[in-house]
Amino acid sequence: KLEDNLAWFTPWFTKLADWQQSHPPFLFIHTPDCSDAPQQAQKIWQRLQPQIPGLGPAPDWPEQAALF
């Protein structure tokens, strides 16, 4: 599932890198049950690092067991 979603996201890596040149984009990751959203965000960050100079290391991703 994670790799399937990343395949759909691939065209956006170039778009985000282009946008970064003029203004920093904000990206929110959501899934129907949000169970793998943190893992998707981590993978996306890894793939953006080579395309956006100065992006830096990924932040410390907190684990969230529940919203309420």
Side-chain angles (χ1 to χ4, degrees):
K1 179 180 177 181
L2 179 61
E3 289 302 319
D4 292 339
N5 288 335
L6 288 173
W8 287 103
F9 199 85
T10 297
W12 286 96
F13 293 121
T14 303
K15 176 75 68 186
L16 288 167
D18 290 344
W19 288 346
Q20 180 66 24
Q21 293 177 16
S22 60
H23 55 276
F26 289 88
L27 178 65
F28 297 88
I29 305 297
H30 298 279
T31 59
D33 63 3
C34 289
S35 64
D36 66 352
Q39 291 83 4
Q40 287 193 45
Q42 290 170 339
K43 291 291 185 183
I44 289 169
W45 192 283
Q46 291 170 0
R47 292 190 185 183
L48 283 173
Q49 280 181 308
Q51 296 183 2
I52 300 177
L55 183 61
D60 184 24
W61 301 97
E63 294 295 322
Q64 180 174 331
L67 291 175
F68 306 99

